[in-house]
Amino acid sequence: MIKISDSILNLKPYVPGKSIEEVQREYGLTDVIKLASNENPLGPSPKVMAAITKSVPEIHRYPDGSYYSLKNALAPYFGVAQNRLSCGNGSNELIDLIIRIFCEPGSSILISQASFVAYKVCAHASRVSVTEVPMKRDFSVDIDTLLKAWTPQHKAIFLPNPNNPTGLYINSANILKVLDFAKNKDVLVVIDEAYVEFIRAKDYPQTLELQKKYPNLIVLRTMAKAYGLAGLRLGVMFAEPEIIGIVERVRNPFNVNLLVVEAAKAAIQDKDYISRSQKVVWDGLDYFYEAFSQMGLFYCPSQGNFVFFDTGRDSELIFEQMLRQGVILRPLKNYGFPTQIRISVGLPNENEKAIKCLKAIL
Ligand SMILES: *Cc1c(COP(=O)(O)O)cnc(C)c1O
């Protein structure tokens, strides 16, 4: 047997949320709701479905390898030049590409404790080590400690904003602190804004603007959340043309599939769907906050489409009991949170069912 490197053998694979079919089968239920993966509860946009149906007769062809028409639509939508963006098979692929390209094997990335897991998995797969800095007691990112931990070994700093699973965000002043620190150093600052459409905080940074002043800033966005395309996979990356040029050289020729190109072009035009997505999330968050306050449970105010809360007991047990009632949540033991759970915002009736079951169990 071929010798496999320890960093691969020790990889902890990403554990996705339990699927509805799995729970139906294992628990003999028909009525199952999934509030475990921060998906869009509205279902797909009708405009997106029409666009996909229209392009189905073309799927025997390869997609346009340069995805010219997609870039042509995305660039004005995001207000950037076409040579400042690239696309990936979800932002996960872009995270992987950034690490593979800009971090030499043996170098490191710098992250905060309890960050989104993809950075760690991709780094280890590329033989890049990970420095994880302790978070603050309130679960927020400790920017000063993070910057103190930086050494020239660290080729990239990954900051999910807001963070998943906590939902907490880094404000504009703290992002500027990181960018000023990193300026003129040999390090990339990668800000992962998967939930940007749901931000309500007034002091959230305008990173696409900041890129004009900070050339080592990379911004990641996704179509998986507010645009409802999680199953089709499309991530978008914004950076200096030099950085984009290198990513374009390394990425697989057809990393963005033919159907998602048409779907994404339709999705960004469906303003009504995006505002309905925002409304369902904002109303749902406020509903959860109210319910958790009533139940006396600690929660983190969220800038995403999910809430991190503390059950005060073994969350795996609560998770199991909720499954038996047909509600899938995300326990966070593998993030180092033994009593906390993440709940995604669903439709109003799904949120109500989840809270009703939780109340009965607790
Ligand atoms: C959901 C999420 C993503 C999206 O990943 P895709 O690969 O685009 O589906 C990226 N970053 C964070 C922090 C997320 O929570």
Side-chain angles (χ1 to χ4, degrees):
M1 180 57 183
I2 190 165
K3 169 104 177 69
I4 296 169
S5 99
D6 283 344
S7 50
I8 300 290
L9 284 176
N10 296 334
L11 253 185
K12 285 204 197 80
Y14 180 74
V15 185
K18 250 187 185 316
S19 76
I20 291 182
E21 292 71 35
E22 245 177 296
V23 175
Q24 284 172 331
R25 200 170 55 236
E26 287 171 21
Y27 294 83
L29 298 167
T30 44
D31 229 11
V32 174
I33 60 175
K34 184 181 175 202
L35 302 176
S37 301
N38 303 346
E39 293 151 338
N40 195 316
L42 296 178
S45 139
K47 293 207 171 79
V48 166
M49 287 201 278
I52 292 174
T53 309
K54 205 167 147 218
S55 37
V56 165
E58 297 299 320
I59 59 168
H60 61 300
R61 305 278 180 208
Y62 282 105
D64 168 14
S66 69
Y67 29 85
Y68 174 81
S69 74
L70 179 61
K71 283 190 172 181
N72 214 19
L74 292 177
Y77 178 74
F78 289 108
V80 302
Q82 276 189 36
N83 62 358
R84 299 189 62 92
L85 71 89
S86 189
C87 299
N89 186 37
S91 34
N92 262 275
E93 186 192 22
L94 295 169
I95 293 165
D96 194 45
L97 276 168
I98 291 166
I99 292 174
R100 270 169 55 206
I101 295 172
F102 301 106
C103 305
E104 289 295 318
S107 69
S108 312
I109 63 164
L110 185 58
I111 61 172
S112 170
Q113 181 190 0
S115 287
F116 184 51
V117 290
Y119 318 127
K120 221 193 276 189
V121 176
C122 295
H124 288 151
S126 289
R127 281 71 155 172
V128 168
S129 55
V130 179
T131 305
E132 224 176 330
V133 172
M135 63 196 166
K136 290 194 187 169
R137 288 174 61 98
D138 64 2
F139 304 108
S140 66
V141 177
D142 189 339
I143 296 292
D144 294 326
T145 307
L146 184 94
L147 296 181
K148 272 196 207 103
W150 185 84
T151 70
Q153 274 291 98
H154 297 105
K155 298 302 174 195
I157 303 172
F158 280 86
L159 295 170
N161 199 23
N163 186 24
N164 171 8
T166 62
L168 296 171
Y169 76 109
I170 305 169
N171 68 18
S172 189
N174 276 322
I175 289 290
L176 278 172
K177 211 187 246 187
V178 177
L179 293 174
D180 282 324
F181 173 88
K183 201 172 183 175
N184 304 322
K185 289 191 177 71
D186 185 23
V187 60
L188 291 169
V189 178
V190 184
I191 304 187
D192 179 353
E193 300 184 333
Y195 303 93
V196 69
E197 297 82 6
F198 302 123
I199 299 294
R200 287 191 283 186
K202 295 281 179 283
D203 55 353
Y204 186 80
Q206 299 297 320
T207 47
L208 296 185
E209 277 299 308
L210 289 170
Q211 283 187 319
K212 292 176 188 152
K213 202 174 150 200
Y214 299 96
N216 51 353
L217 168 59
I218 295 180
V219 177
L220 298 178
R221 302 272 176 90
T222 180
M223 306 296 271
K225 311 281 159 58
Y227 300 92
L229 301 184
L232 275 182
R233 320 294 301 125
L234 185 67
V236 188
M237 147 177 191
F238 302 90
E240 281 295 292
E242 289 73 21
I243 294 176
I244 295 296
I246 297 167
V247 170
E248 291 286 318
R249 237 192 282 178
V250 177
R251 70 171 175 85
N252 288 332
F254 305 112
N255 63 334
V256 171
N257 74 72
L258 187 137
L259 293 179
V260 80
V261 167
E262 298 312 315
K265 286 193 284 187
I268 57 176
Q269 279 169 27
D270 195 348
K271 299 267 188 290
D272 173 61
Y273 181 84
I274 300 165
S275 40
R276 282 192 295 128
S277 301
Q278 289 169 321
K279 180 156 173 34
V280 83
V281 165
W282 290 332
D283 290 351
L285 289 177
D286 294 340
Y287 172 76
F288 283 150
Y289 297 162
E290 172 88 39
F292 293 142
S293 302
Q294 264 179 23
M295 295 160 82
L297 300 181
F298 170 87
Y299 66 88
C300 289
S302 173
Q303 299 295 322
N305 60 355
F306 56 90
V307 186
F308 172 96
F309 69 99
D310 194 340
T311 63
R313 28 196 131 158
D314 185 344
S315 64
E316 294 283 340
L317 293 178
I318 310 282
F319 166 70
E320 275 291 325
Q321 285 171 293
M322 291 291 284
L323 281 183
R324 267 181 245 140
Q325 314 275 329
V327 181
I328 315 175
L329 304 178
R330 184 71 76 99
L332 299 169
K333 199 169 265 174
N334 58 348
Y335 281 87
F337 298 120
T339 61
Q340 287 88 341
I341 287 184
R342 190 190 72 194
I343 183 169
S344 309
V345 174
L347 296 172
N349 65 312
E350 297 174 323
N351 301 337
E352 281 157 26
K353 177 171 176 186
I355 291 297
K356 203 173 134 221
C357 295
L358 251 183
K359 276 186 175 156
I361 290 166
L362 295 172

